[in-house]
Amino acid sequence: MAYTVSKLTDYSAAALERAVAKLLAALESEAGAVSNEADWKVFRDRWLARKNGVLTLVNDLWLKAAPKDAKRDVGQRVNQLKSQVEETVEATRQRMLGGTSASKLTSERIDITLPGIRRPLGAEHPVIKTMNEIVSVFRNLGYSVEEGPEIETDYYNFEALNFPPNHPARDTQDTIFIAGQESKPLRDRLLLRTHTSPVQIRTMEKQRPPVRVVCPGKVHRNDAPDATHSPIFHQVEGLAVDTNITFCDLKGTLDHAMKALFGSSVKTRFYPSFFPFTEPSADVQISCIFCGGKGTRDGGPCRNCKASGWIELLGCGMVDPNVYGFVDYDSRKISGFAFGMGVERIAILKYGVDDIQLFFNGDVRFLEQFG
Ligand code: DAH
């Protein structure tokens, strides 16, 4: 039962001591039961509150009620008791604080043994990671890096790359034009670049041969998004112009790059193609990395290469002499090759991703796998 202060009937020293001992025992046991700050406040108020606190009751019931001749002794004892109670209340508070600075409450205390707040570390986006990897393959071959604007003029995106106005090759790149430019000459009209090839022109305009550059960047096409298309994607363009550059150099360079990216057992094959800015042009195919070029997998046709054993990966060719005409290079003295590859396409193959949209949805569960 909880301790209560009762009146003293016997004011003898012995009786007083018994009453004090009972009170102190209650004090100690209640102090021992305090286990948190809220408990402590209740404990403090029970013993020290001016109104109905145990000490106040002791004052009223013991001291005030004492006969005259006992007042002195009772007064001394009560004063002693007061300090003892105050000390115990304070010591209990200290215990709550774990012995740290007396001015801090438990809730404000810092427990340095608790685990810290862990901020999740970001990681390179798989597209950027792949782009950097491609760029570094060419850096190691002595290429430097050039970048160009994403908002381009018709001149750089098409005309200087030998796509004349109204040429059907323009239709292969469904272009997003900036509206309201009908009053400008066609070549000055702005569009979102459909490929990184305009950076070839910008580089050759400011630099004389020899040129060896790769141009990574974002490109835009008016394509509906699906598992293999995205209106925004990335390319790495390459250009090498010097004296005596041949198709052999192009083949050797890209064969090396594909082996560096996909492993040394990968084979390459050059298939005739068409781009206005290269002549001859080729599509590069690599031996299927899923079936090892066999065309069959798990006893059936390989889905990834449609059983052909080959996967088409990038475009390339020898720079068309007409292009040199736009940048004031002498096509009788120099020659060069160019190539362009889609970064997402390469990332899809390298990481076995089955939907290009995953790169753009921003789902951390997908992205963190590349951290
Ligand atoms: N620009 C082409 C495209 O986006 C890719 C390309 C093909 C770039 C051949 C080249 C090249 O530099 O030589 O489809």
Side-chain angles (χ1 to χ4, degrees):
M1 211 181 82
Y3 172 79
T4 48
V5 185
S6 43
K7 277 187 181 162
L8 291 182
T9 44
D10 181 352
Y11 279 93
S12 69
L16 189 59
E17 264 332 295
R18 273 201 301 279
V20 166
K22 214 170 126 191
L23 181 147
L24 289 178
L27 176 70
E28 284 312 315
S29 94
E30 287 179 29
V34 170
S35 64
N36 57 42
E37 205 178 313
D39 284 356
W40 175 78
K41 283 186 176 156
V42 173
F43 171 69
R44 175 197 60 190
D45 295 344
R46 164 157 160 75
W47 288 84
L48 299 181
R50 225 165 276 241
K51 224 177 166 187
N52 294 327
V54 172
L55 283 184
T56 303
L57 294 175
V58 164
N59 211 47
D60 292 347
L61 300 179
W62 295 2
L63 183 60
K64 282 189 186 157
K68 240 192 183 136
D69 55 346
K71 267 225 159 72
R72 225 177 82 104
D73 289 346
V74 176
Q76 263 178 10
R77 199 69 190 87
V78 166
N79 271 345
Q80 242 180 23
L81 261 186
K82 219 175 130 189
S83 332
Q84 276 174 290
V85 171
E86 278 167 358
E87 269 166 35
T88 305
V89 170
E90 178 56 21
T92 310
R93 187 172 90 105
Q94 290 292 338
R95 180 165 61 74
M96 286 301 93
L97 296 179
T100 58
S101 158
S103 64
K104 284 204 171 160
L105 293 174
T106 320
S107 57
E108 295 168 354
R109 206 177 68 207
I110 293 169
D111 182 347
I112 59 163
T113 66
L114 287 174
I117 298 166
R118 198 183 290 272
R119 286 183 205 288
L121 271 187
E124 207 168 35
H125 190 281
V127 169
I128 301 300
K129 185 175 166 146
T130 307
M131 192 154 85
N132 287 338
E133 219 175 301
I134 299 166
V135 166
S136 78
V137 167
F138 289 97
R139 266 184 179 284
N140 290 340
L141 292 173
Y143 285 65
S144 52
V145 179
E146 283 288 334
E147 287 179 302
E150 272 174 57
I151 301 175
E152 261 300 2
T153 58
D154 188 280
Y155 176 77
Y156 285 108
N157 198 78
F158 290 125
E159 194 179 332
L161 286 161
N162 203 29
F163 292 79
N166 301 317
H167 192 282
R170 289 181 172 226
D171 295 347
T172 62
Q173 305 190 357
D174 199 346
T175 309
I176 297 171
F177 286 90
I178 302 216
Q181 303 187 92
E182 293 73 14
S183 61
K184 287 189 191 168
L186 179 65
R187 56 159 54 188
D188 294 338
R189 292 187 199 164
L190 297 172
L191 48 81
L192 300 185
R193 69 176 177 194
T194 54
H195 51 178
T196 42
S197 305
V199 189
Q200 290 186 19
I201 305 298
R202 291 183 174 276
T203 305
M204 289 190 280
E205 274 183 350
K206 61 179 190 195
Q207 195 182 320
R208 307 306 302 170
V211 169
R212 279 176 184 75
V213 287
V214 277
C215 320
K218 195 181 280 175
V219 302
H220 304 254
R221 291 191 194 179
N222 186 26
D223 289 339
D226 63 23
T228 54
H229 293 85
S230 165
I232 300 176
F233 59 103
H234 298 76
Q235 290 186 335
V236 175
E237 185 84 13
L239 174 70
V241 183
D242 205 339
T243 47
N244 299 321
I245 291 212
T246 68
F247 201 90
C248 266
D249 299 315
L250 170 60
K251 284 187 84 170
T253 302
L254 290 180
D255 185 72
H256 165 81
M258 294 304 113
K259 286 181 162 64
L261 291 170
F262 293 103
S264 56
S265 58
V266 150
K267 295 190 184 64
T268 53
R269 170 165 104 161
F270 290 69
Y271 217 76
S273 184
F274 173 78
F275 300 100
F277 39 94
T278 44
E279 182 60 33
S281 304
D283 282 328
V284 182
Q285 304 177 346
I286 60 166
S287 54
C288 180
I289 54 173
F290 299 98
C291 65
K294 289 196 293 289
T296 55
R297 193 152 56 107
D298 302 330
C302 175
R303 282 189 302 120
N304 298 86
C305 61
K306 303 205 180 75
S308 71
W310 295 96
I311 294 179
E312 196 170 295
L313 207 50
L314 63 131
C316 67
M318 301 305 290
V319 178
D320 191 305
N322 282 350
V323 171
Y324 295 130
F326 285 97
V327 295
D328 213 12
Y329 276 20
D330 186 347
S331 62
R332 285 165 308 178
K333 294 191 180 143
I334 46 99
S335 59
F337 62 75
F339 54 87
M341 57 189 96
V343 178
E344 284 80 359
R345 174 112 176 92
I346 290 175
I348 279 173
L349 293 173
K350 269 180 85 79
Y351 296 112
V353 174
D354 58 9
D355 185 345
I356 193 175
Q357 299 305 322
L358 287 164
F359 291 127
F360 304 108
N361 290 342
D363 188 330
V364 178
R365 291 167 302 180
F366 171 74
L367 296 173
E368 70 186 358
Q369 297 176 53
F370 301 89

